[in-house]
Amino acid sequence: MSRPSSKPLKIVSLVLRAALFSAVLAVPVLAMPAFGSDSGSVIEAPTLKKKGAGFVILVSLQRR
């Protein structure tokens, strides 16, 4: 009586692991279009007030 080979079992196990790993990585990427893009949820930083100090420094550092 010959002993059954475990090689096909290892291959099936490896394929199942690869499929599970691929599914875990692909689910978040594939789920993003379901949420859609809402332009109202973008938060922008407030604009900084210009103080004009750059011009003063530029004028004071000019060579004469």
Side-chain angles (χ1 to χ4, degrees):
M1 186 171 200
S2 66
R3 186 172 170 205
S5 176
S6 65
K7 190 172 184 177
L9 184 62
K10 286 183 181 180
I11 292 173
V12 170
S13 174
L14 182 64
V15 169
L16 288 175
R17 283 186 193 176
L20 180 64
F21 184 72
S22 299
V24 167
L25 291 178
V27 165
V29 175
L30 296 175
M32 286 308 294
F35 292 109
S37 62
D38 184 19
S39 61
S41 64
V42 176
I43 301 173
E44 295 182 9
T47 57
L48 298 175
K49 295 179 182 176
K50 296 182 180 180
K51 298 180 181 177
F55 181 72
V56 173
I57 293 172
L58 178 68
V59 170
S60 66
L61 291 178
Q62 284 182 346
R63 294 183 184 181
R64 295 182 187 233

